[in-house]
Amino acid sequence: MPQAIGARTAARSPKHMMMKLAALCLLMAPMLCARAADEADPFAHPPELEPDVRFWIRVYTEVTTDQGLIHDDWNLKLVYEVLRFDPASSPGQRERRVAEAKTRYAVLLRRFAAGDTDNLTSHERRILHAFGDKATSRDYLDAIERIRFQLGQADRFHEGLIRAAAWETHIARVLKQHGVPEEIAALPHVESSFNPFAYSKVGAAGLWQFMPSTAKRFMRVDGIVDERLDPYSATEAAANLMLYNYRLLGTWPLTVTAYNHGPGGLRRAQDELGTSDIAVIVKRYQGATFGFASRNFYVAFLAALEVDRNAERYFGPIARLPDTENTPVQLPDYIAVSNLAKAFKVDMGALKVLNPALRPPIWSGARLVPRGYALRLPGAQSESEIAAALTRIPASQRYLAQRNDGAHRVRRGETLAGIAAASGMSLPRLAAANGWNTGHAIARGEIVRIPMPPTRAEVAGEAPAAAALAENAAAAGAPLATPPAGPTEQAVAPEKAAALERTSEPGRTAEPERPPAAPSKAPPAPREPVSARQSQSAALLPAGPPTGSTDTTDYGVGPEDTVVVQVAETLGHFADWSHVDSESLRRLNKLHKDAGVRVGRRIKLDLSKVSADEFVGARREYHHHLQEDFFASHRIAGTENYVVKRGESLWTIAQQRNDMPVWLVAQYNPDINFNDVRPGTQITLPRVEGINRQ
């Protein structure tokens, strides 16, 4: 049942106690809070989960990618057979062998279900005894649906141990700085085998396997820079995500599980089962998307941690890669990577290895390395050496904005001056490039030719006002002019979203724009990898489509077609998503014509024209675009703790901080009642930074 923000008072004593503890230490540094919450043993090893941990240790240390286990996907102690493949066999040949093995054991289980247990081989008797003396016919038949294949990972894990040394020092330092337990450093073994270039079939990337939507909250991800592929930036992001999940869930085992499943699903599990016990949740939670990967993520992590700590016991001596020394240099301008390599006297291949976040358009020369990017150089570089190298790059090779595709289609409301500022150039320069004067009126749909951005040499020769305009546009990180949004990209502008948030404050209301279409269906789950080639770009623990989101808000329709008003929602939104008029909803809810809807209030819907699923789809998509627009130009760099003062509300607190939407404050404080925030209430505020997306 949807509940108002701050109304989560259901009896779930372990989590409730943990949240009380978190509240007591909220004024302290986040690292002290996290440590104090479960300092004695941050990662529980419940005996009920030990067989599952042993299964994954076996996968990680005994069975290679030329082998695999046919097993029961619920009772991991039950391994039917170890399949061994010819290393030269094709994926198709391996898939056929796996299918044949599954069929063979399905036939055997049907035989057991029929009571035919005579003339069994020793191997078949072992399987029969694994079910116990009290197994019923139904038990055997149900087990048929649970026959699963798990590709071995021992060779990949060994490779990961060799690679891990290159980043261990940095990862340990970042985790310590953020107050995240040092054990989390083993998680990339599960996610990517410490391969910074790893991509999964569902879109996760890098050492920490971030999905794009989650990654954009904490770092830059686009066609020019993808910081998921930079182990340094991605580690910072992983630490911030871990602290966010920990604040919402209160225990580190659940925090780790949420890395795969999302915190929203785990909060629902806590509510449904009334506990934060990881063993109870793993064994009893029946969430629709809480599948094999989510159930096994924590035990796989414990297995990886055990192997990482005792690597030589499992693999013998390991020749680890050295920790490569490098120096980050923040660039003052947009510069071609070839010019940077020449100025710093660095081989282009070495630059590419140290800067995996730079995407192909940078290396091809189609785009410039962005201003403000921390370019990593090999070895230790002194400040004087860096300054000398930068002076070797002439002003004619230093641009004030990003190189672009050369054309822009005018969108509604745009002006020539606005397009010029967004492109980092003066209005006269843009107008001249198109054969116009500066007063030319552009029309929606018209094509504006965007010339190359100005260099510092060119700006120095322009009028002072034009130079200042170009400098300001570059310094502000104004985004490039981009093509207009298509039918599936309709999003509420950030300034309008902020206005809508303010109208959601008690006593106000507003009519929204038409929300976008319902979201598309999730991609199908990938097939089980059967070869090293198929698994080399996937996590060690095969994962299906992303099952969770950092947004834990319940957007569902509750009993009697009611919903709880969330931040940035108005009565007009509900009417639009329901395809009815606002006045009918106002009458249905007995609201005065001037009354607004309060956050946390339950509103009754008229779903005579749309289904509940269609309504929820439109609602989710609205919030998705609202958040996507914000994180297109901002990122979360950490958190701060704040005590509410007399006369303050969460709205006024957010408005006092530039670029702080109220919905983001709500996400970090889901158990706070927005309508009753009293002086002395302790809240967490994210630290937000702007991102230069050029």
Side-chain angles (χ1 to χ4, degrees), residues 65 73 98 179 185-186 229 381 537 558-559 618 646:
T65 52
D73 76 356
V98 170
L229 302 176
Q381 305 274 343
S537 63
R646 185 177 301 278

Side-chain angles (χ1 to χ4, degrees), residues 8-259:
R8 301 172 64 89
T9 55
R12 41 167 151 144
S13 57
K15 183 186 179 186
H16 185 63
M17 292 174 63
M18 189 61 65
M19 294 303 291
K20 278 190 173 182
L21 176 59
L24 288 174
C25 64
L26 196 55
L27 289 176
M28 303 166 64
M31 61 187 298
L32 296 179
C33 296
R35 290 294 189 192
D38 44 16
E39 185 176 4
D41 184 9
F43 297 102
H45 290 65
E48 311 94 296
L49 300 183
E50 190 59 28
D52 299 353
V53 175
R54 292 293 114 193
F55 172 87
W56 287 105
I57 290 177
R58 183 179 182 186
V59 170
Y60 292 163
T61 63
E62 298 178 15
V63 189
T64 72
T65 52
D66 284 327
Q67 303 168 334
L69 305 178
I70 300 292
H71 67 97
D72 186 290
D73 76 356
W74 187 264
N75 176 15
L76 299 187
K77 289 188 295 185
L78 178 51
V79 175
Y80 295 102
E81 181 181 349
V82 179
L83 287 183
R84 292 174 173 81
F85 304 109
D86 182 339
S89 60
S90 68
Q93 291 172 321
R94 295 186 177 207
E95 287 173 358
R96 284 191 291 274
R97 282 205 60 197
V98 170
E100 289 168 359
K102 288 183 176 181
T103 299
R104 185 166 63 252
Y105 289 107
V107 170
L108 180 63
L109 293 174
R110 289 192 184 93
R111 179 180 168 187
F112 292 166
D116 182 2
T117 57
D118 296 330
N119 302 317
L120 298 178
T121 66
S122 59
H123 176 63
E124 292 169 340
R125 281 196 300 273
R126 178 186 65 82
I127 295 172
L128 178 65
H129 292 157
F131 281 86
D133 297 333
K134 298 182 179 180
T136 66
S137 176
R138 184 75 262 166
D139 292 333
Y140 297 123
L141 294 175
D142 288 345
I144 293 174
E145 301 300 321
R146 302 197 304 267
I147 300 175
R148 183 182 179 277
F149 173 76
Q150 172 60 52
L151 185 70
Q153 302 289 338
D155 46 342
R156 290 193 59 218
F157 203 105
H158 181 257
E159 293 167 1
L161 288 167
I162 295 173
R163 285 191 290 260
W167 300 289
E168 282 177 339
T169 301
H170 174 77
I171 291 174
R173 181 170 62 249
V174 169
L175 295 182
K176 184 176 181 179
Q177 289 172 346
H178 286 74
V180 176
E182 62 183 10
E183 292 87 346
I184 294 296
L187 191 61
H189 282 302
V190 181
E191 287 292 325
S192 67
S193 191
F194 277 90
N195 178 4
F197 302 103
Y199 277 94
S200 79
K201 294 180 180 179
V202 296
L207 205 72
W208 294 90
Q209 287 292 282
F210 272 93
M211 292 295 293
S213 58
T214 301
K216 287 176 182 178
R217 287 180 162 249
F218 304 102
M219 49 190 161
R220 179 175 177 175
V221 178
D222 53 42
I224 298 175
V225 176
D226 187 347
E227 290 183 325
R228 297 179 299 166
L229 302 176
D230 178 7
Y232 301 95
S233 299
T235 298
E236 293 275 353
N240 279 318
L241 176 57
M242 285 290 178
L243 287 177
Y244 174 75
N245 288 344
Y246 181 80
R247 171 162 178 78
L248 297 182
L249 298 166
T251 77
W252 285 109
L254 292 183
T255 295
V256 169
T257 307
Y259 198 86

Side-chain angles (χ1 to χ4, degrees), residues 277-495:
D277 188 311
I278 184 63
V280 174
I281 289 175
V282 164
K283 294 300 183 183
R284 291 178 52 194
Y285 182 50
Q286 298 295 317
T289 59
F290 197 68
F292 182 83
S294 296
R295 286 202 325 267
N296 281 272
F297 198 77
Y298 182 63
V299 292
F301 164 73
L302 291 181
L305 183 60
E306 157 68 18
V307 178
D308 181 76
R309 285 175 166 176
N310 302 280
E312 294 195 355
R313 180 200 304 171
Y314 292 103
F315 293 104
I318 297 174
R320 297 177 181 268
L321 292 177
D323 186 351
T324 305
E325 186 176 23
N326 59 79
T327 304
V329 176
Q330 193 166 41
L331 301 183
D333 299 294
Y334 294 83
I335 305 171
V337 70
S338 58
N339 292 332
L340 288 167
K342 181 178 179 181
F344 284 102
K345 300 178 181 179
V346 177
D347 178 74
M348 190 77 82
L351 268 188
K352 204 166 188 177
V353 168
L354 288 173
N355 296 276
L358 297 179
R359 306 309 297 133
I362 296 286
W363 302 108
S364 70
R367 291 289 186 274
L368 306 169
V369 182
R371 171 181 180 148
Y373 179 79
L375 185 76
R376 292 191 177 272
L377 303 173
Q381 305 274 343
S382 68
E383 290 186 10
S384 59
E385 289 174 321
I386 293 171
L390 288 174
T391 59
R392 288 195 285 268
I393 304 175
S396 60
Q397 295 177 358
R398 296 164 171 259
Y399 292 88
L400 295 180
Q402 182 59 264
R403 180 175 292 169
N404 52 69
D405 289 324
H408 170 67
R409 186 180 297 277
V410 178
R411 294 175 290 191
R412 181 173 55 189
E414 285 188 319
T415 64
L416 194 61
I419 295 173
S423 302
M425 64 186 63
S426 66
L427 176 58
R429 180 188 180 89
L430 180 61
N434 287 273
W436 302 328
N437 59 46
T438 55
H440 178 78
I442 55 176
R444 181 181 180 182
E446 190 172 1
I447 300 297
V448 178
R449 191 173 74 81
I450 310 293
M452 280 289 292
T455 65
R456 287 202 171 273
E458 292 171 311
V459 166
E462 293 184 8
L469 175 63
E471 285 283 359
N472 291 340
L480 276 176
T482 54
T488 61
E489 297 175 326
Q490 302 170 15
V492 179
E495 61 273 14

